[in-house]
Amino acid sequence: MMKKPFNFYKIKFYCSAFGWPVVLALLFVWQNQAYNSWLNIYPQQYIIRRVLVTFSLGIIVYGPAWFFKKRGQYLYLFLVSILISFIFVAQFIYYEYATAFLQVSAWKYASLATSQTGTIVTLLNWRILLFVANLILLILALIIDRQIKFTDFKKTNREKLVILMIILFVGFSGYYYLFQQETKEWGDGSRLYSDLYDLETLVAKAGVINFTLEDTAKYLTRDNHPSAAELAFVQAWNINREATIQTVTTPKYFALAKNRNVIFIEVESLENAVIGQSIGNQAITPYLNELARRGLYFDNYYTQVGQGNTADAEFVTMNSIFPLPTDVVFIDYAHNNYQALPQLLKNNGYHTYALHGDVPTFWNRSNIYPQLGYSGSFSKQDYIISRKVGPGFAELGDEDFLNQSALKLKNLATPFMATLITISSHTPFEVPLDLQTLKIPTDTKFNKTQQNYLQSIHYVDQAIGKFLNQLKTLGLYDNSLIVIYGDHGSYTSISRALKADNAISVGLSDNQVPLIILAPDTNLSGTINNPSSHLDFYPTIANLLGLKIPRSVLGQDILNSSTPVMTRRNSGSGTINSILTPRLAYEASSDGVFERGRCLTLPNKQFLPSQNCRSLYEEQNNLIKASDIIERGNLITTIK
C-alpha cells in the first residue's frame, strides 16, 4: 500500500487554525491580568490560579473555532471577541466609575447611561486598546490570510474528536486546579462560587469574565417572576393586613428626635449576652453597659439574617423586610427598587452616608447602596490604617475606623444620616496582645475561641466609648440620635458559657443582640422587654424622627405596637424556626411540621396544645411568604 504524500499545506492550515485560538486565549490571560493590575484588584495574589483559569476559559470560548471551516472560524472568533471585548470595556469603565462590578441585573438601567456620557468619555483611555486587541489581531489575521491564501481542508470525525478532547482537557484543567486550591484553603472547592460575599476575591482568582458569566448564569436560571397565584396571594395578604394593622393616634416618642443627625453603629457579632456581664469583677462591655442604662435598651431583640450575615443585617434594618433564605439580597437583588430608610431620610432633607472599613465591592455594597438611597459612602481606601486589627491583623481597626469616621461626620452637611459598620470583632476574633485588656483568669471555663471573642468585644466597646466622647468634643453628640446594635451572633455559644441564656428557651440565644438608642437631653430611657427584631428597626427609628413609613415596611414600631412579635426563620429552608410574643411562643420541630412544634405560654413557659399557636403561626407564615414574593418579584414599590 502506498503512503499518502506529505501534505505541507494541510500542516500549514492546521497551524493557522489551531494557532489563532491559542493566541487569543493567551491574549485573554493578559487582558485579565491587566484588568486586575490596573484596577488594583489583588494584582500580586492568586496569579497562578488566575492565569490557569483564564487560559482554560480562553480555550473554552475560542477553541470551538477549530470545528469550523476557515470562513466560519473567522466569523465565530469575531463574534466571541466582540462579546469579550464589550464585557472587558464595560466592566473596566464601570469599576473606575463606581468601584463595583457590573451585574446583569443592572442592564435594565442601561438607558440611563446616556446621562453619564460625559463621565464615561473621561474614563476612556489608552488601556481600552488592550481590551479590543483581540479584534485588532483578527483583522490583521484576516488580511494576512487573504494574502497567503491557505487551503481549506475538511476535518475528519477522528480529527474533530481529538480537537474536542483537547478543548475539554485544557478547558477543565484550570478549573480543576482552582477548586483544588479552594479545597485546600476552605475545605470546599465550591465555596468560591457559592459564598459570593467578596466579589473582588472571585475576580482576583478567576477573572472578571468568569464573574460575569457566573452572574449571568445565576440571573438567567433564577425564576424571579411571580406567578399569577403569587400575585393574587400578595394582593389578598396586603388587603387583609390593612384591616388588621393597629394604629396609634398619638404615638409615644413621635418626632422626639426630629431633624437630629442620625448615627447608626452596626457592631460585628455583638451578642446581648455580654451586656452587663463581668469576668473577674471586670465588665466585658463597660461603655455599652453605661449606654444601656442611660438610653433606651431593648433586651429581647433578635437578629434576622440568612446566608448574608452582616449584609442581611444591613438589608433588614434599612428595609424592614425579611432576608431571603438561599439568596443574598445585596448580591442577587442589588438593582431592585427599594423604599429604604436612607431614601426616606434623603427625601426629607437628610444627607445619607455609609461608612465601613471593607473594600467597596465587599457584599456588593457599592452597587446596592445607591439603590437604598445613600448619597455616598466611605470605605477602606478612605481611611489610614495606623494599627492593623482583626482577621490576620490585616484590617482597619475599629478604633482607627471610628476615630476617623467622627472627623468625616463633622464635615458632612446637616442633618445627616450615617451608618457605621465595625469589623474588629469578626471571626476569628484576632486582636493584638497589647490590645487584649480584658483580664481573663488562667483557669477560665471559656474555650480559646470564646476568649478571643470576649477580648475583641472588649476592644470594640472601648473604641465605641472613645468615639462617643469624640462626638461630644466635635459638638455632634447632643444633636444626634445614636443607635447601636449587633448585626448577628458570634456563633461561639458565648451566651451559654456566660450563663446568660435568657432567650425564652426556644433556640434563640445565639441570635439575641442588643439594641441601644440614645437621644441626649431627652427622656428616652429605660429597658424594653417586648420581643422585637431587625425587622422593627426601620419603623421605630422613623417614629422617633417624626416620619411616615411606606407600606412596604413589614415590621412594627416597637415603642407603640400593641401586638409585638418576633419571628425567626431557618436559613436554607426558609421555614419558621420560632415565634415570640409577650404572652405566647412557638418553637418549630426539626422537620417543620406544625403539629410537631411546641406552643407555650410566657413568661411561665407552660406547654399548650400546638393548635393554640395555629393562628399566630399562619399569620407569620403568610408574612414570610409575602416578603419573599415581594423581594424576588421586585414588588416593594407596588405595595401601597
Side-chain angles (χ1 to χ4, degrees), residues 27 37 70 81 114 122 136 145 177-178 214 231 234 245 269 284 321-322 329 347 366 368 457 484 506 537 575 602 608:
L27 175 61
S37 179
K70 186 165 59 175
S81 294
T114 56
T122 63
I136 296 172
D145 197 21
Y177 177 80
L178 172 67
E214 186 277 338
L231 289 172
V234 170
I245 285 181
S269 303
I284 299 171
I321 188 170
F322 282 97
V329 178
N347 294 344
S366 46
I368 196 170
I457 284 296
I484 304 169
V506 286
F537 184 96
T575 55
L602 296 177
L608 301 170

Side-chain angles (χ1 to χ4, degrees), residues 30-106:
W30 184 18
Q31 290 169 322
N32 275 279
Q33 291 291 98
Y35 180 93
N36 283 46
S37 179
W38 289 337
L39 296 177
N40 197 31
I41 302 172
Y42 301 108
Q44 304 305 320
Q45 294 177 256
Y46 315 115
I47 292 178
I48 295 177
R49 251 175 278 193
R50 189 162 61 242
V51 167
L52 292 179
V53 172
T54 52
F55 181 71
S56 290
L57 181 58
I59 293 298
I60 290 173
V61 297
Y62 287 118
W66 290 324
F67 290 101
F68 297 97
K69 292 184 178 181
K70 186 165 59 175
R71 182 176 296 179
Q73 285 178 3
Y74 280 113
L75 178 61
Y76 175 82
L77 292 175
F78 266 113
L79 292 175
V80 171
S81 294
I82 288 172
L83 178 61
I84 287 177
S85 293
F86 176 78
I87 294 173
F88 267 127
V89 172
Q91 290 284 13
F92 185 77
I93 291 175
Y94 188 77
Y95 191 94
E96 283 204 314
Y97 173 70
T99 320
F101 299 110
L102 187 60
Q103 294 181 280
V104 176
S105 56

